[in-house]
Amino acid sequence: ALVAAMAQQNLTKAQLAARLGKSPAFVTQILNGGRNLTLRTIAEVADALRADIHFDVIPQKARALSLT
């Protein structure tokens, strides 16, 4: 979803890093899954992308049923 949002805005990793006040390496780690994201970081990235975040809380029992 982050890569798609960046692509829609023609935003490079370096540009996103600048918006976040972080290094391009930090953005690369986020996009490659090499960094454990906190809710705060997710919110900061979404804000930098001028995007909204939506989370779903799914009970484990319901999730297990949907996997079968």
Side-chain angles (χ1 to χ4, degrees):
L2 297 177
V3 172
M6 290 173 63
Q8 287 177 344
Q9 298 178 39
N10 294 319
L11 194 66
T12 66
K13 291 177 187 178
Q15 290 168 322
L16 179 58
R19 287 185 184 182
L20 290 167
K22 305 281 186 182
S23 70
F26 176 84
V27 172
T28 297
Q29 289 174 347
I30 288 173
L31 298 178
N32 290 339
R35 181 170 284 276
N36 210 0
L37 297 177
T38 64
L39 290 176
R40 178 182 298 238
T41 301
I42 293 168
E44 289 172 353
V45 171
D47 187 52
L49 290 170
R50 298 175 182 98
D52 292 324
I53 303 169
H54 296 271
F55 291 100
D56 290 323
V57 177
I58 302 169
Q60 290 181 357
K61 190 173 191 178
R63 186 179 68 207
L65 293 174
S66 69
L67 294 176
T68 58

